[in-house]
Amino acid sequence: MLQVKGLTKKYNNILAVNNVSFEVESGEIAVLLGPNGAGKSTTIKSIAGLLRFDGQILINGLPNKTIEAKKVFGYVPETAAMYEYLTVYEHIEFIARAYRLDESYREKAEYLLKRFELYDKIGKLGKELSKGMQQKLSICCALIINPKIIMLDEPMVGLDPKAIKELKSIFIDLKNQGCAVLISTHIIDSIEEVWDKVLIMNKGRVILSRTREELEEKAESLEDVYFRHTEGVSGL
Ligand code: ATP
């Protein structure tokens, strides 16, 4: 379970995230929506432990910057950052060693790389990969650790239709395994079939939090709700 309590982040004078609180339960897929500059990436980077912030972020009850918390969360950044001189498979091996995974990771690596059509490219260097291939490898690296919580910042960007289909099906697998999933995206269609909870951010705040059931009760679509709450307002 992911708990964000009173998260506030300032970049010099810019209040990028303003007292944001929300939770993502185990086995829940939450989607973070919002216009450009709303504070989504800053929220995700804070959870990933990449920024200093005020407030509290707990991963399965542990502060997000502890080793124990880091061991169980996967993060797919907005822009994949691969090592130029490591091969596809060496990226996976590097993560496996850093996280001290047992040898069974090799089987999982084969399964994931095949699912994302990277298995025939395991000897290619990071610098030889296309943007989409880098994104797919970045996703495989986050998944190989068997995360209890995973965050993905604009994960569909640059992916081909087959990879998008696989990723959606992986979201459902993760949910069924009890993983808490947080996805930030602008492409509302891309997560329409999979989301359980929507968090809409604007100007550094979460302005709306709704479950799928709550929207269904009112016969509202995600798109309707998004535009109603963000129309005519811009980010910071
Ligand atoms: P987008 O959808 O465009 O990716 P976002 O919702 O992810 O936007 P953030 O990237 O979190 O938004 O930005 C929130 C605010 O913080 C914006 O006003 C942005 O200009 C500012 N900001 C983000 N990163 C920095 C930084 N490194 N230094 C200064 N200001 C920043």
Side-chain angles (χ1 to χ4, degrees), residues 11 14 16 34-43 45 78 154 186 236:
Y11 296 106
I14 298 170
N36 295 130
K40 305 176 300 293
S41 290
T42 303
T43 300
K45 284 181 196 160
E78 199 170 3
E154 293 290 354
H186 290 115
L236 284 174

Side-chain angles (χ1 to χ4, degrees), residues 35 55 92 120 124 130 134 137 182-184 186-188 190 192 203 206 218-219:
I92 302 282
D120 58 341
K124 257 189 188 281
S130 72
Q134 289 186 35
L137 178 54
L182 179 62
I183 308 162
S184 167
H186 290 115
I187 315 170
I188 296 177
S190 70
E192 188 61 74
K203 297 184 179 177
V206 171
K218 294 185 178 167

Side-chain angles (χ1 to χ4, degrees), residues 10 23 37-38 42 51 54 59 76 79 86 92 95 103 108 116 119 134 166-168 189 195 201 219:
K10 270 187 187 168
E23 291 183 356
T42 303
L51 297 175
D54 291 320
I59 307 277
V76 179
T79 310
L86 287 188
I92 302 282
I95 300 288
E103 280 298 299
K108 182 158 187 189
F116 283 107
Y119 198 65
Q134 289 186 35
E166 289 301 335
L167 187 56
K168 283 186 194 171
D189 287 353
W195 69 279
M201 282 193 82

Side-chain angles (χ1 to χ4, degrees), residues 17-32:
V17 175
N18 184 5
N19 197 21
V20 159
S21 299
F22 64 87
E23 291 183 356
V24 185
E25 306 279 343
S26 302
E28 185 173 56
I29 301 177
V31 56
L32 196 54

